[in-house]
Structure formats: structure tokens, C-alpha cells
Amino acid sequence: MVLGGVIAACLGGALVYFLLPQVFAPDTAWRDQVVDTQEAQAGRIDALDAKLAELPPPAEMPDLGRLETGQEELRATLEELTGQIATLQSRLGALESRPVAEGSGVSEGQITDLQAALDAQRAALAEQKQRIDTLISAADAREAKAESAATATLQQAALTRIRTALDTGAPFEDALADLAQTGADVPDDLRAAAADGVPTLATLQAEFPPAARVALRDARKERADAGEGETGVMAFIGEQLGARSLEPREGDDPDAVLSRAEAALREGRLADALAEIEALPPSGQAALQSWVDSARARMNATDAADALSAQLN
């Protein structure tokens, strides 16, 4: 007992290393392993922390596959450390609960000191566990940010290809498939136009005049048959020659309606042009139906692309 008191007074905080063999059963070989493992864990955590800090920001990580591989390796290492800490905590708890061997000559004060040493070990392990959890959270956050940035880049690239195809009239099935793979909600109007593309604005502008002449002729005939046609020399010449107004003018007659529709078309206002055409007599609308279908397909596709771009941004 005297010798034990002297050792306790001299070594203080190191009691746990000298008293464990006296207080507990002789199988205490793992004592050194606890200390060595804890020190090794601290070193590995510091190394992982430094490694995580050195990772470049997401904008500099175009290879998402390599990033995911690195994150998985980091996560596996951190989970291994977490398991080791849990094992050490379990051993400390079991060690603390074991009774003092009879005749060991250990005083209550020594037991109290040993208890304090064990509590210190437990606190150190808890601190390491907290650092590991922090590293895992940081790794998850970095991975999520990188994945989000990569997805946004792929979406914008696919959307740019779709817009180019809409401007040139080319099909865009491949670009639409790439966009869908990113998880974007692809509008039906884009899906419907992807296989064949849509007419360009220049094509619609070029095809309108001949279609408008046929529509004007049919509309004039329909109105004449109903007794609503225009009279006079100019009206007669217009009907015979198929002449129509090239500048927008007021009025509800077919020629005025078509003049305003063509003016809107020249300015790229497809919606306004289509709205004007709806004011034509049924025969005039029927003559323009094919053109209207093409114009509406383009308008719907471009509107869907604009809405999708706003949504992704």
C-alpha cells in the first residue's frame, strides 16, 4: 500500500498505466493498444482533415467519377475509425465495471484517480468521434455541391444544344435524352418536336406569302358568296389578280387581317400572327392550316425551352 501511494504521488495522471494490472484481471495487454490506437487515430484524422481542405472547389472538378471514388475512400476510412472508437469505448466501459481484485491493496483514492483517468480517455475518444463526424459531414457536403454543379453544367449544355437546333430546324433527340438523364422535367412540347425539329422563323416567313394569297382568295370568295364582299374597281382588280396589302392596315376584312399577321411575323411575333389569323373566315383559316400548325409547333417548342431554362436557372 505504501509503495502504491508513492507511485500514485509520483506519476499522477499516468496512474492508469501502472495501476491497471493491480486493479483488474491480468489480461490488460490491450491497454497499450488503446493508447497507440488513439494516437494513430488522431494522426489519421489530422491527415484526413488536411486532405479534405486541399481538395479544389467544385468548379475545378470536371471529373465527377474521380470525385466520387475519392469520397468513397474517405468515407470508408472514416467509418473504420468510427468502428475502432466504438470498440475502445466498449472496452473502457467493460473495464470500468469489473470489480477490484481482493487483496490488491488499492485504496479508494487510487480507484478514484483511475476512474478520472478512464473518464479522460472516454472524453478523448468522444472528441475524436466528433471530429470524424465533422469530416464525414464536410465530405458529404462537398460531394453534394460537386454533383449539383456537374448536373447544372450538363443541363445547360443540353439546353444550349436544344436552342441551337430550334434556331436551325434540326432534330434534337440526343440533346433531349441527355437533358432527361440529368433528372430535368422535359416539357411535352419539346418531346413532340425532338424527332423532326421545328421550322425556323425564316422558313415560316418565306412560306407565308403564297399561303396568304390562297387564304385571301378563298376568304374573298366565301364573303362574296355570302353577299359580304367588297365592291368597286379596286376590289374587282384585287380579286382577279390576287393582290393584297403588304403593309399592316386597320380593318376586319381578310386583306387587313393578313397584312397585320404578316407584319407581326416579320417582327418574330408568332403569337400575334396566329391570333390575327384566327379572325379570318373559316375558308381562309383552312387555307393557312398547314402553316399555322408549323408556326404553332415552333412557338410551343421555343416557349417550352424558355420556361425550362427559367426553371433550371
Side-chain angles (χ1 to χ4, degrees):
M1 292 177 62
V2 173
L3 179 59
V6 172
I7 293 174
C10 294
L11 300 183
L15 279 173
V16 64
Y17 303 122
F18 292 92
L19 291 180
L20 281 174
Q22 301 177 41
V23 179
F24 301 103
D27 184 15
T28 57
W30 64 271
R31 174 186 55 193
D32 294 335
Q33 181 185 357
V34 170
V35 178
D36 294 342
T37 303
Q38 185 177 347
E39 292 177 352
Q41 287 172 344
R44 293 174 70 182
I45 291 174
D46 290 336
L48 289 171
D49 202 357
K51 184 176 179 181
L52 186 62
E54 292 174 358
L55 289 176
E60 301 175 12
M61 296 184 188
D63 191 345
L64 189 58
R66 291 180 58 190
L67 173 64
E68 292 176 349
T69 300
Q71 296 286 30
E72 289 301 324
E73 292 177 355
L74 177 61
R75 195 185 316 281
T77 302
L78 296 179
E79 289 177 354
E80 178 184 351
L81 290 177
T82 302
Q84 292 178 1
I85 287 177
T87 301
L88 293 179
Q89 287 178 326
S90 177
R91 287 183 173 181
L92 285 176
L95 184 62
E96 183 181 4
S97 65
R98 293 169 67 177
V100 177
E102 294 183 3
S104 62
V106 179
S107 66
E108 292 184 0
Q110 291 170 332
I111 294 177
T112 300
D113 292 339
L114 181 58
Q115 179 65 50
L118 291 174
D119 290 342
Q121 288 288 323
R122 184 178 290 106
L125 292 175
E127 181 182 356
Q128 290 188 357
K129 177 65 166 58
Q130 179 61 39
R131 292 183 62 189
I132 288 175
D133 291 341
T134 300
L135 283 175
I136 291 178
S137 298
D140 289 341
R142 180 176 290 273
E143 182 179 6
K145 188 174 182 179
E147 289 180 350
S148 177
T151 299
T153 300
L154 292 174
Q155 289 176 341
Q156 291 302 323
L159 189 57
T160 298
R161 290 161 57 198
I162 291 173
R163 286 189 176 280
T164 300
L166 291 176
D167 290 339
T168 61
F172 49 91
E173 282 183 306
D174 292 343
L176 201 67
D178 292 342
L179 182 62
Q181 287 181 354
T182 67
D185 186 11
V186 179
D188 292 338
D189 288 328
L190 282 179
R191 292 186 185 276
D196 300 322
V198 295
T200 64
L201 181 60
T203 298
L204 293 174
Q205 290 171 338
E207 291 178 350
F208 184 81
R213 283 193 291 270
V214 175
L216 181 58
R217 181 196 64 196
D218 293 350
R220 281 172 170 170
K221 185 176 184 303
E222 179 181 348
R223 295 188 65 180
D225 292 344
E228 300 174 355
E230 298 178 358
T231 60
V233 176
M234 296 305 297
F236 175 78
I237 293 175
E239 291 177 2
Q240 296 301 313
L241 300 179
R244 62 188 186 87
S245 301
L246 299 180
E247 295 297 328
R249 65 182 182 84
E250 297 296 327
D252 59 358
D253 61 281
D255 184 37
V257 170
L258 286 170
S259 70
R260 293 193 298 271
E262 188 169 11
L265 177 61
R266 285 196 297 266
E267 297 174 1
R269 296 182 285 112
L270 281 180
D272 292 341
L274 292 172
E276 290 287 356
I277 291 173
E278 291 178 356
L280 288 172
S283 59
Q285 293 188 39
L288 281 170
Q289 189 60 52
S290 178
W291 185 93
V292 167
D293 292 341
S294 296
R296 195 172 300 280
R298 175 175 178 78
M299 184 183 69
N300 291 342
T302 54
D303 288 350
D306 290 341
L308 182 59
S309 178
Q311 176 185 346
L312 296 180
N313 288 333

